[in-house]
């Protein structure tokens, strides 16, 4: 019987330089889409996938994240007194059971791989998920839940993947798919390699790795061994690629859903528009407003 995936690491220790000056004072993960911070979307997705333990790898200046998941007794008392039960209900999704959430400091931003490695003692000897909250995935079903279900069948390590245009491969880790080893599931593909940020002519496929992973404890051991890679950072991609070198299965999972790169300004704006249009209270009015803006442009 395979171990259940019950722990997720949220590496949020990056500096968010693409959103300066805002990120000088506000962690990127606290920026909102309509009314909820990016991190709340990730937590909801994780909960739907059955995650019970939430491990945040944070850094200096990220205290707002810890406050966000804390109880807010004065606010709750006021809302209760004013009979604002709907808002009270909304607040509930931000409360965490004591002991279910942990914060670890990454003392120096040495890369995503290093951030994940910082959580090694909390993960122990179990498979775990890694979620990057700045990748927001909209869809009928939680992307991580889809991956957990596929993982229960396949085992190994798994990365979420999506097709990108040839010009975009240089911004992602890209999968090299082993066509000779079909999995019998159209969404699941065995990888025989991974290349970090290849140029268009050199990419082995158009399948980019995005910010959802299910990893085995062995990946932590690889992170122990590998040195700095691209950008002089310790790369998670390199530690996963080492799995393939050790003849351990690594899969790409083509999830069902639409991913927004909220770590970039353009992606964040696209997500804001999409989530506003999908919002039952705002959608119709906002659609009319956008039509007017475009007509007058
Ligand atoms: P990014 O590459 O988006 O970097 O990191 P960033 O610092 O967040 O943003 P920019 O590029 O400066 O604008 C991808 C993910 O890895 C985490 C980030 O917090 C983000 O969730 N990360 C990155 C760390 O936790 N530690 C690091 O040392 C680097």
């Amino acid at each position: 019987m395979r171990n259940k995936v019950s722990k997720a690491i949220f590496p949020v220790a990056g500096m968010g330089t693409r959103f300066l000056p805002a990120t000088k004072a506000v962690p990127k993960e606290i920026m909102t889409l309509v009314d909820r911070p990016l991190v709340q979307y990730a937590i909801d997705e994780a909960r739907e996938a059955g995650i019970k333990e939430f491990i945040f790898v944070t850094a200096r200046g990220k205290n707002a994240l810890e406050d966000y998941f804390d109880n807010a007794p004065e606010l709750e008392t006021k809302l209760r007194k004013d009979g604002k039960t709907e808002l009270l209900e909304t607040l509930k999704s931000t409360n965490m059971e004591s002991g279910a959430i942990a914060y670890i400091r990454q003392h120096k931003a040495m890369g995503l791989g290093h951030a994940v490695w910082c959580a090694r003692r909390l993960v122990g000897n179990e498979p775990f998920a890694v979620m990057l909250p700045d990748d927001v995935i909209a869809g009928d079903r939680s992307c991580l839940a889809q991956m957990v279900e596929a993982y229960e069948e396949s085992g190994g390590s798994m990365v979420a993947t999506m097709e990108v245009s040839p010009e975009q491969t240089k911004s992602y880790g890209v999968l090299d798919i082993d066509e000779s080893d079909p999995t019998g599931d159209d969404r699941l593909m065995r990888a025989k390699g991974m290349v970090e940020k290849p140029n268009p002519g050199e990419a082995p496929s158009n399948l980019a790795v995005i910010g959802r992973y299910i990893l085995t404890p062995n990946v932590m051991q690889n992170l122990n061994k590998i040195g700095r890679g691209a950008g002089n950072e310790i790369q998670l991609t390199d530690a996963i690629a080492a799995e393939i070198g050790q003849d351990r299965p690594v899969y790409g999972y083509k999830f069902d859903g639409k991913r927004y790169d909220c770590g970039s300004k353009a992606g964040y704006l696209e997500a804001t528009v999409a989530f506003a249009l999908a919002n039952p209270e705002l959608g119709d009015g906002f659609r009319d407003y956008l039509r007017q803006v475009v007509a007058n442009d």
Side-chain angles (χ1 to χ4, degrees):
M1 185 61 188
R2 240 181 272 292
N3 270 341
K4 275 222 160 320
V5 184
S6 63
K7 297 181 180 178
I9 301 177
F10 299 81
V12 292
M15 294 192 193
T17 52
R18 284 169 289 172
F19 276 99
L20 281 172
T23 42
K24 186 181 165 204
V26 183
K28 176 167 67 174
E29 301 73 24
I30 290 292
M31 297 194 321
T32 56
L33 289 179
V34 184
D35 52 6
R36 294 193 299 158
L38 299 183
V39 69
Q40 183 69 54
Y41 292 93
I43 291 287
D44 291 348
E45 186 187 325
R47 281 184 169 138
E48 199 181 320
I51 298 297
K52 302 278 184 275
E53 290 180 50
F54 305 82
I55 303 163
F56 279 79
V57 183
T58 69
R60 285 178 293 283
K62 300 270 180 172
N63 297 353
L65 262 170
E66 294 193 31
D67 291 343
Y68 177 76
F69 289 115
D70 210 340
N71 286 2
E74 294 87 1
L75 185 58
E76 284 169 25
T77 307
K78 167 111 179 65
L79 292 176
R80 205 166 289 117
K81 203 165 133 236
D82 295 348
K84 299 203 165 147
T85 41
E86 246 179 68
L87 281 179
L88 265 173
E89 234 5 77
T90 308
L91 271 193
K92 267 195 194 155
S93 63
T94 69
N95 290 348
M96 286 281 185
E97 193 195 330
S98 296
I101 189 160
Y103 301 93
I104 297 262
R105 277 270 167 119
Q106 184 190 25
H107 296 102
K108 213 169 162 199
M110 285 165 64
L112 174 59
H114 180 258
V116 169
W117 178 80
C118 288
R120 65 200 178 282
R121 293 202 178 86
L122 289 182
V123 159
N125 201 26
E126 287 178 35
F128 57 95
V130 175
M131 302 182 79
L132 307 189
D134 48 8
D135 271 339
V136 174
I137 303 175
D140 292 339
R141 190 147 181 251
S142 146
C143 171
L144 190 67
Q146 298 171 44
M147 290 174 71
V148 165
E149 196 177 292
Y151 167 82
E152 279 166 5
E153 293 292 316
S154 68
S157 289
M158 193 178 288
V159 298
T161 181
M162 67 176 213
E163 288 174 11
V164 296
S165 64
E167 318 73 78
Q168 290 176 313
T169 55
K170 61 177 182 308
S171 307
Y172 296 91
V174 174
L175 291 178
D176 190 0
I177 299 301
D178 187 352
E179 308 284 355
S180 70
D181 191 4
T183 62
D185 176 345
D186 288 349
R187 294 193 175 278
L188 193 67
M189 294 150 294
R190 186 148 178 176
K192 61 177 179 194
M194 276 168 94
V195 189
E196 188 64 24
K197 303 191 171 69
N199 287 321
E202 289 151 21
S205 75
N206 64 346
L207 290 169
V209 175
I210 62 122
R212 301 289 182 274
Y213 311 78
I214 296 177
L215 302 175
T216 67
N218 195 61
V219 172
M220 288 292 189
Q221 286 166 29
N222 293 341
L223 282 168
N224 252 334
K225 290 181 224 148
I226 60 168
R228 292 180 187 243
N232 201 27
E233 292 191 334
I234 298 180
Q235 296 287 352
L236 186 58
T237 316
D238 292 345
I240 301 171
E243 290 282 280
I244 303 172
Q246 293 157 350
D247 223 10
R248 294 168 179 272
V250 173
Y251 297 95
Y253 185 82
K254 254 201 234 175
F255 59 95
D256 182 25
K258 166 107 178 97
R259 173 259 190 179
Y260 296 93
D261 175 10
C262 292
S264 77
K265 287 175 205 160
Y268 179 68
L269 290 173
E270 282 166 25
T272 301
V273 171
F275 279 75
L277 287 173
N279 184 287
E281 272 171 46
L282 304 174
D284 289 344
F286 191 61
R287 189 168 288 103
D288 289 345
Y289 169 73
L290 284 183
R291 282 206 183 102
Q292 275 176 36
V293 171
V294 172
N296 296 334
D297 192 21

